[in-house]
Amino acid sequence: MSLIGTPPTVETLLVSEMTRNEALSIGQLLVAIWPKPGVTVEGRANSLDVPGAGDYPASTAPRSLLIRKSGRVLAHASVFPREIETTAGPLTIAALARVCTDPSCRGQNLGALVARAAFQMVDDGHLPFSLFQTTPPVQSFYERLGCGVVENRIVNSLADDPEACPFWDKILMRYPANRTDWPTGDIDLRGHGY
């Protein structure tokens, strides 16, 4: 599906205000991109919920960034605040998740548009960094957006195996890469990966 001639608009949907139909539309794209046995559109829609989403200030409230055409979601990213523990103490970062583009629309810069919109929380100074996982084939996409690889060991002290990395993808990244105040040492995600 080509959007040439139509400038794409990134919409922001706060999780606390998202309708069920909007969540299901996003769920359809997520299931198409990451099909898994037993994972349904409804399940993916439910995964967009963030406990206490309405308790955050508007500047950092959990949200979905998306591009739609004729009601169909063509590109999506989720971002929400997440407190992690570092050697310097607690740090709240922008957790980036579920960045994807409908395969029929790839090559039109839609993924970059929704990712940049998600990073706006950091660019506006509301949160210092974004932390996320990705795969080796997608690493260069994020590097072009100003992200860098995270070398820290990531753990989850709340898990059955607190030493295991709670992320499942091989590459961990942060935005922006050019800041020198990223914490050193282990990072405790204090919860499951996203």
Side-chain angles (χ1 to χ4, degrees):
M1 177 180 291
S2 176
L3 295 179
I4 295 173
T6 306
T9 302
V10 177
E11 298 176 55
T12 300
L13 298 179
L14 297 181
V15 169
S16 62
E17 299 172 2
M18 190 180 300
T19 69
R20 185 66 182 160
N21 284 341
E22 288 169 332
L24 289 170
S25 294
I26 295 167
Q28 287 177 333
L29 176 62
L30 299 178
V31 164
I33 299 299
W34 296 294
K36 291 184 179 176
V39 177
T40 64
V41 170
E42 292 79 12
R44 288 290 192 179
N46 293 341
S47 74
L48 297 169
D49 191 26
V50 175
D55 298 338
Y56 293 92
S59 60
T60 59
R63 64 197 64 198
S64 281
L65 296 308
L66 55 105
I67 296 172
R68 289 191 264 201
K69 184 171 185 178
S70 303
R72 183 172 149 207
V73 177
L74 305 178
H76 176 267
S78 293
V79 64
F80 52 93
R82 177 77 176 257
E83 186 174 287
I84 60 174
E85 188 66 39
T86 74
T87 54
L91 178 68
T92 302
I93 51 90
L96 178 69
R98 303 177 196 94
V99 179
C100 58
T101 303
D102 184 302
S104 69
C105 300
R106 292 202 176 134
Q108 298 181 54
N109 208 31
L110 304 184
L113 289 172
V114 295
R116 281 193 175 107
F119 293 146
Q120 201 61 48
M121 275 188 197
V122 175
D123 292 341
D124 289 346
H126 300 297
L127 296 172
F129 293 99
S130 180
L131 175 66
F132 58 97
Q133 63 181 323
T134 193
T135 59
V138 184
Q139 178 180 345
S140 63
F141 164 81
Y142 286 111
E143 288 171 338
R144 287 190 300 273
L145 296 177
C147 302
V149 172
V150 169
E151 300 294 340
N152 310 65
R153 183 173 77 118
I154 309 288
V155 299
N156 173 10
S157 62
L158 305 178
D160 291 338
D161 181 0
E163 298 300 310
C165 182
F167 289 117
W168 49 91
D169 284 330
K170 293 184 181 198
I171 307 293
L172 304 178
M173 299 192 83
R174 68 178 170 98
Y175 174 85
N178 62 358
R179 295 231 347 235
T180 59
D181 56 338
W182 176 254
T184 60
D186 291 354
I187 292 176
D188 185 351
L189 207 56
R190 296 183 355 184
H192 59 81
Y194 47 86

